[in-house]
């Protein structure tokens, strides 16, 4: 039974590229069954934006997000090496989406790692993602030298540390670990570590434990004993890499949602990309985008609906045992979605 909802919240919907439209379709069916409050403005970006209006980030898409301040986004394709700059990175810059929140929680027990409940907060606007890059030609080789400049600012470091620390307090987390490489990149990631220490000591000392770790050791410890961590806060590139790693601890990219949160808007998405290798086959796992939709419901104050969605996903996977191929099951996207909708309609 669909629960009628008197509320309506305008939000931008970008189905995205590759498997994007397939998992977006699944997510819309599920949100419909839940009675979610969103009224969608459909927009295109990425390769779909190029195909529709020769622009990977069309003005209409930007205008829509500027108006709604809220978006659910499928993965957007970015050409490797040449071609246009990532529309994802441009969206994060345009709307100052400085915090990337990526939780990873075990939903299917009995895997290689059980009882994982980690949250990674990644700085989303600075670091090595700024795109200050160029080649230096030497002796007729146009790409003889490749250079990239990373930038981290005190203000950016303060902002991301406060976001992570406030989240830890709000959610009752026990420990936050600052991940850095300040032994080598003493300025670029040194400023982040220095700021994390200062803010923790001045404002959060009695609220949760704080520790620091070098990124390479963190990557190793995450696969040796992930339970020693609770929350991680880190700079842009390290956060990108480690969030895929923690997704791997809970069943892979098909299970990992992300929220990009800033002063001007919030955009929710799956951590994974457009998965061109399985696009159009109807076998993609829609759970990451569904969990992102649950985070979006939390964000607009519909926490109970978000919880119902998470519980229904849990029950579909573990009681009904309906799973897509990436999780070792045999269901395709349509069959998984139908089972999840049935769960929701049955009340969980
Ligand atoms: P990818 O995440 O698309 O795929 C990596 C592997 O995971 C593939 O084998 C794929 O089949 C599998 N996979 C991913 N999502 C899945 C799902 N929901 N269900 C089942 N299997 C799934 O990474 P890749 O191949 O490196 O990137 C492809 C494109 O996506 C690139 O153009 C990249 O720039 C873009 N991308 C976009 C992101 C975004 O929009 N936020 C994030 C990451 C990549």
């Amino acid at each position: 039974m669909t629960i009628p909802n008197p509320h309506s919240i305008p939000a931008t919907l970008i189905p995205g590229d590759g498997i994007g439209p397939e998992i977006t379709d699944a997510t819309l069916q599920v949100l419909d069954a839940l009675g979610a409050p969103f009224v969608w403005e459909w927009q295109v970006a990425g390769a779909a934006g190029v195909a529709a209006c020769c622009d990977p980030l069309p003005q209409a898409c930007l205008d829509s997000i500027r108006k709604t301040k809220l978006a659910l986004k499928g993965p957007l394709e970015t050409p490797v090496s040449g071609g246009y700059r990532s529309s994802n990175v441009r969206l994060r810059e345009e709307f100052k989406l400085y915090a990337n929140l990526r939780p990873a929680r075990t939903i299917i027990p009995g895997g290689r790692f059980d009882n994982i409940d980690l949250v990674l907060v990644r700085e989303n606007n600075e670091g090595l993602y700024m795109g200050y890059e160029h080649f230096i030609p030497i002796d007729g080789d146009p790409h003889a030298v490749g250079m990239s400049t990373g930038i981290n600012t005190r203000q950016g470091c303060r902002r991301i540390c406060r976001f992570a620390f406030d989240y830890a307090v709000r959610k009752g987390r026990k420990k936050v670990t600052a991940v850095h490489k300040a032994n080598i990149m003493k300025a670029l990631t040194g400023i982040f570590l220095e700021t994390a220490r200062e803010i923790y000591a001045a404002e959060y000392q009695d609220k949760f434990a704080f520790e620091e770790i070098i990124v390479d050791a963190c990557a190793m410890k995450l696969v040796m004993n992930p339970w020693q961590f609770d929350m991680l806060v880190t700079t842009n590139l390290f956060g990108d890499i480690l969030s895929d790693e923690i997704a791997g601890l809970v069943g892979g990219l098909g299970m990992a949602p992300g929220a990009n949160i800033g002063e001007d808007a919030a955009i929710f998405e799956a951590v994974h990309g457009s998965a061109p290798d399985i696009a159009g086959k109807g076998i993609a796992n829609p759970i990451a985008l569904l969990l992102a939709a649950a985070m979006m419901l939390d964000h607009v104050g519909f926490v109970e609906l978000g919880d119902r969605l998470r519980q229904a996903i849990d029950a579909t996977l573990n009681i009904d045992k309906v799973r897509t191929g990436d999780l070792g099951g045999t269901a395709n996207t349509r069959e998984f979605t139908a089972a999840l909708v049935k769960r929701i309609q049955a009340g969980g």
Side-chain angles (χ1 to χ4, degrees):
M1 187 187 69
T2 304
I3 297 174
N5 199 315
H7 304 272
S8 62
I9 300 173
T12 305
L13 182 70
I14 307 168
D17 302 319
I19 59 169
E22 299 163 49
I23 57 174
T24 300
D25 180 55
T27 303
L28 290 181
Q29 287 182 47
V30 171
L31 288 177
D32 240 20
L34 262 183
F38 306 116
V39 179
W40 301 107
E41 285 193 13
W42 288 66
Q43 296 293 337
V44 289
V50 173
C53 33
C54 304
D55 188 347
L57 197 52
Q59 192 58 43
C61 180
L62 292 172
D63 290 345
S64 172
I65 300 172
R66 194 158 291 118
K67 192 171 62 173
T68 61
K69 302 187 189 312
L70 188 66
L72 183 65
K73 186 185 77 59
L76 303 178
E77 216 172 278
T78 309
V80 175
S81 292
Y84 55 83
R85 189 151 178 260
S86 161
S87 307
N88 293 311
V89 173
R90 285 179 57 203
L91 279 170
R92 291 171 200 155
E93 286 172 359
E94 184 75 27
F95 296 104
K96 302 187 184 70
L97 306 172
Y98 65 90
N100 190 192
L101 183 61
R102 293 183 164 183
R105 186 174 61 87
T106 305
I107 304 182
I108 302 176
R112 204 177 311 159
F113 299 95
D114 237 336
N115 297 316
I116 299 289
D117 177 10
L118 282 166
V119 176
L120 184 140
V121 174
R122 162 193 177 192
E123 203 291 319
N124 224 8
N125 283 153
E126 301 194 330
L128 283 160
Y129 270 63
M130 307 272 303
Y132 295 147
E133 289 198 302
H134 60 276
F135 292 108
I136 301 174
I138 300 174
D139 290 342
D141 177 357
H143 291 176
V145 178
M147 286 184 68
S148 181
T149 305
I151 294 180
N152 283 327
T153 64
R154 177 74 75 195
Q155 190 206 14
C157 294
R158 281 197 183 121
R159 208 163 51 170
I160 197 64
C161 289
R162 286 221 168 85
F163 178 93
F165 294 170
D166 286 341
Y167 181 94
V169 172
R170 223 171 41 248
K171 300 283 182 179
R173 308 293 303 203
K174 295 189 171 48
K175 182 171 74 173
V176 179
T177 304
V179 186
H180 66 92
K181 187 77 184 176
N183 52 330
I184 303 297
M185 292 187 280
K186 293 179 194 293
L188 187 67
T189 78
I191 186 178
F192 165 76
L193 179 61
E194 184 183 288
T195 309
R197 283 177 183 160
E198 271 173 26
I199 293 188
Y200 176 72
E203 300 169 37
Y204 296 89
Q205 234 182 111
D206 53 338
K207 300 188 169 81
F208 52 82
F210 173 81
E211 66 176 22
E212 45 192 68
I213 189 166
I214 294 173
V215 63
D216 36 338
C218 181
M220 185 269 294
K221 287 185 177 187
L222 272 170
V223 291
M224 296 290 288
N225 174 13
W227 302 277
Q228 68 191 283
F229 298 109
D230 186 24
M231 265 187 79
L232 305 171
V233 59
T234 189
T235 47
N236 206 337
L237 180 61
F238 299 158
D240 186 36
I241 297 166
L242 293 179
S243 59
D244 271 31
E245 188 179 351
I246 64 171
L249 302 176
V250 297
L253 284 172
M255 306 295 273
N260 299 282
I261 296 178
E263 287 157 11
D264 300 337
I267 300 181
F268 297 82
E269 63 180 348
V271 169
H272 63 72
S274 58
D277 52 337
I278 58 164
K281 295 185 178 163
I283 56 171
N285 178 357
I287 292 178
L289 193 64
L290 285 160
L291 291 173
M295 292 174 82
M296 186 166 164
L297 285 165
D298 296 344
H299 180 77
V300 296
F302 283 68
V303 179
E304 206 184 310
L305 273 193
D307 284 343
R308 275 188 57 205
L309 176 48
R310 284 180 282 262
Q311 280 156 16
I313 291 172
D314 199 322
T316 307
L317 292 171
N318 294 314
I319 299 174
D320 306 333
K321 307 268 187 221
V322 180
R323 300 173 187 173
T324 46
D326 57 309
L327 301 176
T330 55
N332 59 28
T333 314
R334 194 175 37 77
E335 289 160 348
F336 176 80
T337 308
L340 180 55
V341 165
K342 202 165 148 202
R343 260 284 155 197
I344 290 167
Q345 287 169 341

